[in-house]
Amino acid sequence: MKLTKKSHACVRLEKDGRLLVIDPGGFSEADAAAGADALLVTHEHPDHFDEGRLRAALEADPATELWTLASVADQLAAAFPGRVHTVGHGDAFTAAGFDIQVHGELHAVIHPDLPRVTNVGYLVDGTVFHPGDAFTVPEQPVDTLMVPVMAPWNKISEVIEYVREVKPRRAYDIHDALLTDLALPIYGGHIGRLGGTDHVRLAPGESAEV
């Protein structure tokens, strides 16, 4: 399986000539969802969910389908009957030839005064886990963890403890669009030294085999 990092939280996975795209939000490239056979969205925040981009991808290919939680599905289902699927924690399904398991229910706490939106993570082919905006730990081993390194809801010590708890074979950065070039090596150095796993940063557009 080929993993391509796009800006911020978006990841593209390719296998057997088919393309799965997770979280092509507003902080990612304009073409982040282009060509997708299947789309997954973790939650409703605009850096993960860009309605216009999803509509464009669904309109471009009548075979493209979207799996997401209710807060996102409700905004698109009427326009694309039968192609927008609502999922939640514990669900399992197949999308464009990829086996998906859904883990998690709530977005991480930003501040106690702010209500928590729903959030799900996706384990793809039992290998790659994208948690969205949460430190969800799946109930089974994870080979490749997409680790959210910087957000209003986390700090580096929590990121490191999350990597330690999941114990993946490798961890790739996501949720990094707000980090400056000065901060990237600092964050990467801490996670790499303390996380206890092979930590890799892919620049937007770079790929790896997983």
Side-chain angles (χ1 to χ4, degrees):
M1 185 162 50
K2 179 182 177 181
L3 181 153
T4 300
K5 168 77 164 63
K6 303 296 282 185
S7 292
H8 200 51
C10 182
V11 175
R12 292 165 65 96
L13 296 168
E14 298 174 66
K15 183 184 71 172
D16 299 331
R18 308 197 76 185
L19 175 62
L20 173 73
V21 180
I22 306 175
D23 279 2
F27 290 2
S28 299
E29 294 80 359
D31 64 350
D37 296 292
L39 297 156
L40 307 180
V41 174
T42 62
H43 66 288
E44 66 200 72
H45 287 161
D47 55 327
H48 297 255
F49 165 50
D50 186 296
E51 183 176 349
R53 292 179 187 179
L54 293 182
R55 286 183 179 273
L58 291 165
E59 289 167 354
D61 185 348
T64 300
E65 298 181 66
L66 166 67
W67 284 261
T68 187
L69 34 63
S71 58
V72 173
D74 290 347
Q75 301 182 54
L76 294 163
F80 304 98
R83 298 168 59 196
V84 177
H85 312 281
T86 301
V87 298
H89 176 69
D91 288 342
F93 58 93
T94 299
F98 296 85
D99 293 325
I100 314 295
Q101 296 178 346
V102 184
H103 297 268
E105 298 180 272
L106 289 172
H107 192 288
V109 175
I110 299 173
H111 187 276
D113 289 355
L114 297 176
R116 295 172 71 183
V117 302
T118 50
N119 177 94
V120 293
Y122 298 106
L123 181 62
V124 181
D125 280 352
T127 299
V128 177
F129 185 60
H130 189 307
D133 276 9
F135 288 138
T136 302
V137 178
E139 299 168 358
Q140 61 196 79
V142 171
D143 184 79
T144 301
L145 176 66
M146 309 309 299
V147 57
V149 297
M150 189 274 181
W153 51 268
N154 72 21
K155 58 185 179 181
I156 192 64
S157 62
E158 296 170 334
V159 174
I160 292 164
E161 289 304 312
Y162 179 53
V163 174
R164 288 179 171 182
E165 186 173 4
V166 176
K167 298 183 179 68
R169 187 165 66 89
R170 66 175 71 86
Y172 290 109
D173 290 353
I174 56 169
H175 219 284
D176 53 2
L178 299 181
L179 285 176
T180 67
D181 290 342
L182 288 173
L184 287 171
I186 298 172
Y187 275 66
H190 286 316
I191 298 170
R193 287 190 300 272
L194 301 173
T197 192
D198 180 22
H199 172 253
V200 180
R201 170 172 169 74
L202 296 175
E206 287 189 328
S207 300
E209 294 295 326
V210 296

